[in-house]
DNA sequence: TTGACAAGTTAGACACGACTAACTATATTA
DNA sequence: TAATATAGTTAGTCGTGTCTAACTTGTCAA
């Protein structure tokens, strides 16, 4: 029955997990230094976070050892990464925001929105993207450009 | 030249300011008790927050006195409330989420998204809402309903 | 006008997440 | 293989935001 721990991950811990996921993803082993660099945080902070994630059984971790995701950790990281991707896609493909703003905003908002909102957002992107009668993204781009410079 | 303090408000302080704004809005004086109830926080926490907001010159506050927004505070609160409203509107009017989920999500996301994203979102709502060729919100509602129950 | 209750404050504790400085382990390489 | 550089950990501190318990102030009704 899985002990039913209510332990929601904090935004910080989600960030750590996400970076570990991406580092593992790109073939490399997730090293403490890389995690620190990836999050702009001290190595000492990483050590603390690794202990927490390890206690929650989301990563395999021994002091001075390599860091890998457990199955449970991969599932969690997957959820986070998916949330991130949906948001980033929405910001770029629907709102037409630049890549940097989109990524930064997704990073911050991904911790604040639940599965219901993200799921609906995913549906919305699909819905808008799949429409055949006119390209709404293009039309919207024109709309807000005209708005920005009302009479230039 | 306004001392140019870079002091961004924390999410918590934004919440306090927002509640004070709404309490003042509805004619009443913002009492510590009401702020506490509004945020689901102890009265002691409110006292601490009021001191902080007072130091930042966002509220007028003396121990045991009434709390009112300064001009600067009203400007800040206004920004926060506007962000909140744009998000809530997006969640309800575009994504078709229920009022409760929309409000809760807006409360959490409003601290994570900057003016650029919120502004673009506002434009998007306007753009979609103003379209004459078909009601996209209604079409989308149909879309995700069919999606939820693929063959029921 | 005073006594009781409600509202507000203070003091002290705690959790979280970050930091620096100093130490230890591991790797590299001469 | 021994010296050294790099990576990782530990210990201790800090800021933020929360809490409870105890105290103070304010208010209102008898």
């Amino acid at each position: 029955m899985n002990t039913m721990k209510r332990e929601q991950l904090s935004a910080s811990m989600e960030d750590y997990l996400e970076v570990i996921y991406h580092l593992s993803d790109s073939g490399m082993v997730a090293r403490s230094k890389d995690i620190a660099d990836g999050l702009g945080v001290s190595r000492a902070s990483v050590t603390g976070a690794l202990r927490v994630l390890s206690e929650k059984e989301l990563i395999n971790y021994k002091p001075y050892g390599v860091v890998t995701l457990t199955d449970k950790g991969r599932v969690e990281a997957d959820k986070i990464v998916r949330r991130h991707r949906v948001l980033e896609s929405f910001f770029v493909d629907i709102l037409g925001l630049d890549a940097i703003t989109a990524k930064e905003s997704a990073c911050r908002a991904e911790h604040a929105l639940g599965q219901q909102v993200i799921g609906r957002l995913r549906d919305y992107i699909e819905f808008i993207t799949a429409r055949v009668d006119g390209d709404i993204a293009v039309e919207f781009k024109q709309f807000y450009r005209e708005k920005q410079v009302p009479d230039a």
Side-chain angles (χ1 to χ4, degrees), chain A:
Chain A
M1 211 49 182
N2 206 4
T3 34
M4 272 303 170
K5 306 188 204 174
R6 260 285 145 272
E7 29 173 301
Q8 279 265 91
L9 275 182
S10 70
S12 279
M13 290 306 130
E14 286 190 352
D15 283 334
Y16 282 103
L17 208 56
E18 199 175 359
V19 167
I20 293 167
Y21 178 94
H22 285 306
L23 286 173
S24 312
D25 211 34
S26 41
M28 358 171 21
V29 175
R31 289 184 312 152
S32 199
K33 174 75 165 28
D34 299 324
I35 298 169
D37 291 348
L39 289 171
V41 123
S42 74
R43 294 184 327 264
S45 301
V46 174
T47 302
L50 293 182
R51 233 193 317 267
V52 172
L53 293 174
S54 175
E55 273 158 22
K56 294 184 190 295
E57 299 174 8
L58 296 167
I59 61 171
N60 301 117
Y61 166 71
K62 290 275 164 103
Y64 298 102
V66 295
V67 175
T68 56
L69 290 170
T70 62
D71 289 346
K72 188 177 163 192
R74 199 178 322 282
V75 168
E76 279 309 304
D78 239 46
K79 282 188 214 165
I80 298 159
V81 169
R82 257 200 287 273
R83 289 209 302 264
H84 181 107
R85 280 207 265 260
V86 169
L87 282 167
E88 198 171 333
S89 164
F90 173 74
F91 291 143
V92 170
D93 302 331
I94 305 294
L95 295 189
L97 290 162
D98 67 278
I100 292 163
T101 303
K103 188 174 281 299
E104 284 173 0
S105 301
C107 276
R108 278 177 287 113
E110 70 190 8
H111 309 297
L113 298 173
Q115 197 42 61
Q116 198 181 350
V117 177
I118 297 291
R120 190 61 64 83
L121 207 47
R122 185 197 296 119
D123 290 346
Y124 189 77
I125 296 166
E126 184 190 334
F127 169 73
I128 291 291
T129 306
R131 283 176 70 93
V132 285
D133 57 329
D135 189 330
I136 290 188
V138 169
E139 289 172 41
F140 175 54
K141 189 169 278 186
Q142 199 162 345
F143 175 82
Y144 70 69
R145 281 205 175 134
E146 280 165 10
K147 217 162 193 307
Q148 272 178 320
V149 277
D151 44 25

